[in-house]
Amino acid sequence: MVVEYERRGAVAVVTMNRPEYRNAQNSAMTYALDEAFYRAAEDDGVAVIVLAGAGPHFSAGHDIGTPERDADATFPRRAGMWWDHVGKAGAESRFARESEVYLGMCRRWREIPKPMIASVQGACVAGGLMLAWVCDLIVASDDAFFADPVVRMGIPGVEYFAHPWVMPPRVAKEFLYTGDRMPASRAYELGWVNRVVARGALEEETLALAERIAAMPRMGLALTKKAVNQAEDLQGMHAGMDAVFGLHHLAHAHNAETGGDPLGGQDARSMREAPHGS
């Protein structure tokens, strides 16, 4: 299974399970995550959701080249009413697909009325950031690092463009302009990682935090989450993401028109092997 689901008392642990591909997210994984989150949201016995990744890495991002990439497969759409991307051409296909499986899914998951904690180790890159950022809290191991290198593709960041709300704008610009890796210690200093723990203690520390939160009243947690999310949206987060999503697709279209490749000639290997800071 590309996603595993386990109940641990009042905590649902949802684990991405493609460790051989650093948990790169194909569509099968995205929709399996959606099913797992629905299951946890509907279970009255679940108070907190933990999102984790099997193996040495949380997630290397969206699947742009594994043998099991399934971008042309049909799945039941749940994040929006836009038509299916399968069989469509050009921007009509890309916009429909990314509206559903990237921006649409992430926005829905952000609104799950139960606290969500990302448990991050190793790589949390590009599409991996989107999964961590929809969670309310992030617990990272001391070997974790974060990066959004998609400017190398000529694209202004991932589809769920939370960067200016997660970190100060000048830091966000450097993060994007360079594509460098940000260590967990730096993310903690900037306030978008809640805790940094030893790699061997990551699971234990994350579950301890989840169990502590699970003891709080359910309605109080749900309303508190909604209150903070509304404050972010009043600061322009929702509208800002819509605007950047348009720029994101302008970049795809520009790449396709000038070079025949919406990813600007990049693939999983070239993105992984590009120079990076530390």
Side-chain angles (χ1 to χ4, degrees), residues 153-166:
M153 297 177 174
I155 296 171
V158 291
E159 294 84 354
Y160 185 83
F161 193 82
H163 308 62
W165 291 271
V166 169

Side-chain angles (χ1 to χ4, degrees), residues 102-214:
Y102 296 158
L103 183 59
M105 288 287 195
C106 285
R107 277 181 163 165
R108 285 174 57 253
W109 298 340
R110 174 179 177 255
E111 299 302 323
I112 293 171
K114 295 181 179 181
M116 295 178 63
I117 305 175
S119 181
V120 177
Q121 80 283 6
C124 181
V125 177
L129 289 173
M130 295 167 56
L131 297 182
W133 284 348
V134 301
C135 294
D136 304 293
L137 305 178
I138 300 174
V139 179
S141 63
D142 51 14
D143 69 341
F145 64 88
F146 305 87
D148 187 359
V150 301
V151 174
R152 293 189 191 115
M153 297 177 174
I155 296 171
V158 291
E159 294 84 354
Y160 185 83
F161 193 82
H163 308 62
W165 291 271
V166 169
M167 62 190 98
R170 284 190 176 84
V171 176
K173 287 178 181 178
E174 180 181 2
F175 186 68
L176 288 162
Y177 290 172
T178 64
D180 285 350
R181 295 177 177 180
M182 180 182 290
S185 58
R186 176 62 170 154
Y188 176 77
E189 290 173 355
L190 292 167
W192 60 273
V193 162
N194 296 88
R195 299 184 182 184
V196 179
V197 302
R199 176 68 182 86
L202 179 62
E203 181 178 358
E204 179 183 355
E205 293 283 349
T206 303
L207 286 173
L209 178 60
E211 289 165 0
R212 182 178 175 189
I213 294 169

Side-chain angles (χ1 to χ4, degrees), residues 250-278:
L250 172 62
H252 275 317
H254 175 76
N255 286 342
E257 185 173 345
T258 59
D261 176 7
L263 300 183
Q266 299 288 326
D267 58 22
R269 180 179 294 274
S270 66
M271 293 294 283
R272 185 173 63 250
E273 295 179 351
H276 56 78
S278 60

Side-chain angles (χ1 to χ4, degrees), residues 77-101:
R77 296 182 309 286
R78 299 177 74 165
M81 296 297 291
W82 204 277
W83 52 74
D84 194 353
H85 71 286
V86 177
K88 310 302 189 298
E92 184 176 13
S93 173
R94 287 191 298 274
F95 189 89
R97 181 171 185 269
E98 295 188 8
S99 295
E100 167 76 5
V101 300

